[in-house]
Amino acid sequence: VQTVLFRSGAREALRGWCAHNDTHGETVADVLSALSLAVSTMPRPFSTPSTPNGDPIMVARFAVPVLPATYVRRPRLVGRLAEGVRGPLVLVTGPAGAGKTLLVADWFRAGHGGGAGRAAWLTLERPDDDPGLFWAYVLQALQHHGVELPADITAPAEAGEADEALLGRLAAHLRARVPSEQPVVLVLDEFERIGSPEIAAGLHELLRHAGPGLVLVLVIRTEPLLPLHRYRVSGELTSLRAADLAFSADDSVALFG
């Protein structure tokens, strides 16, 4: 800010303004410092190509994994996923190598997720455990997959925190999409990398307030911190576990011939 004001000649204009106005003893440098701080803490629009900490957005993390040529399609499980997204929460849990991600990718690529503008994919990484960074990536993933967001939904300014008002605006926007539009399906892959209670609480509140406007699909090795008992009691949770992901006799025949 100081450089811009200096080069534009506005520094002297600001000095004159301070001389003729009550600045409570503040110098031009004080005013410039306050302006610089205000600019640095302004919310970033969700379309920004960088994270709250200034790192570039890794758009590859929005890509739905490609199925290998040897992948054995599992229509029975894909059907269960298709049924499950009629409710607000779907969990696909199992150890590494159980086929969780590829199963959900198969379901997603087949159009069961709703297609462009109705479904988004985000593969999580360890740094996403910071709330501000997590929600910045969620907003970017929605935008990347064609989900339109209004201008008042902005990415958090700080990596370590997220404004509750942001989640409120996002929930209201998603809820308002129905019944004229289908709900948004958000897939969060490798969710075991998220251990923040604050993020889990935010997701729960988003689901609760977005109502029929949002379906959350979590691909994870263990159960998340969400209050799953509430979803189970209300019949709003669909779970696919390691036992479900295990190959059946028909799957083995399809694989080995």
Side-chain angles (χ1 to χ4, degrees):
V1 174
Q2 292 184 15
T3 302
V4 172
L5 289 174
F6 180 80
R7 289 181 177 177
S8 65
R11 187 182 182 88
E12 292 302 317
L14 180 60
R15 190 187 303 277
W17 181 88
C18 290
H20 291 87
N21 291 273
D22 184 10
T23 59
H24 305 285
E26 293 177 319
T27 66
V28 172
D30 293 330
V31 175
L32 288 172
S33 177
L35 286 172
S36 179
L37 178 62
V39 170
S40 68
T41 57
M42 288 176 62
R44 301 164 183 263
F46 63 81
S47 58
T48 180
S50 62
T51 65
N53 55 19
D55 294 331
I57 290 289
M58 300 290 102
V59 296
R61 294 170 54 190
F62 308 144
V64 182
V66 177
L67 302 177
T70 56
Y71 180 74
V72 176
R73 296 188 180 277
R74 313 182 73 183
R76 179 180 61 84
L77 296 182
V78 169
R80 286 187 59 182
L81 285 173
E83 288 289 328
V85 295
R86 295 182 180 180
L89 181 60
V90 177
L91 291 184
V92 183
T93 60
K100 306 181 298 295
T101 295
L102 290 181
L103 172 65
V104 178
D106 186 22
W107 163 81
F108 193 103
R109 286 183 172 277
H112 296 292
R118 288 173 47 193
W121 183 289
L122 171 60
T123 298
L124 296 164
E125 295 184 354
R126 290 290 180 191
D128 297 337
D129 210 27
D130 286 333
L133 190 59
F134 173 83
W135 289 109
Y137 260 102
V138 166
L139 296 180
Q140 288 284 349
L142 292 171
Q143 183 193 26
H144 179 86
H145 285 277
V147 178
E148 295 185 1
L149 298 176
D152 65 342
I153 295 181
T154 57
E158 301 293 334
E161 60 185 31
D163 185 3
E164 292 183 4
L166 163 65
L167 302 186
R169 291 192 294 271
L170 179 58
H173 171 68
L174 294 174
R175 191 180 191 99
R177 287 171 52 99
V178 292
S180 60
E181 298 183 66
Q182 294 294 317
V184 170
V185 178
L186 175 62
V187 178
L188 298 178
D189 188 24
E190 301 193 37
F191 193 74
E192 67 274 1
R193 294 178 172 178
I194 301 300
S196 166
E198 182 180 344
I199 291 176
L203 279 172
H204 173 59
E205 289 302 306
L206 180 63
L207 275 176
R208 189 164 68 91
H209 292 291
L214 176 66
V215 178
L216 184 62
V217 180
L218 300 182
V219 185
I220 185 171
R221 295 184 186 181
T222 59
E223 289 194 341
L225 296 176
L226 294 171
L228 299 181
H229 61 284
R230 298 185 182 182
Y231 294 94
R232 289 191 176 105
V233 168
S234 60
E236 296 179 318
L237 172 64
T238 296
S239 295
L240 292 179
R241 301 176 178 272
D244 301 306
L245 298 172
F247 266 30
S248 66
D250 291 340
D251 294 329
S252 299
V253 169
L255 179 62
F256 298 109

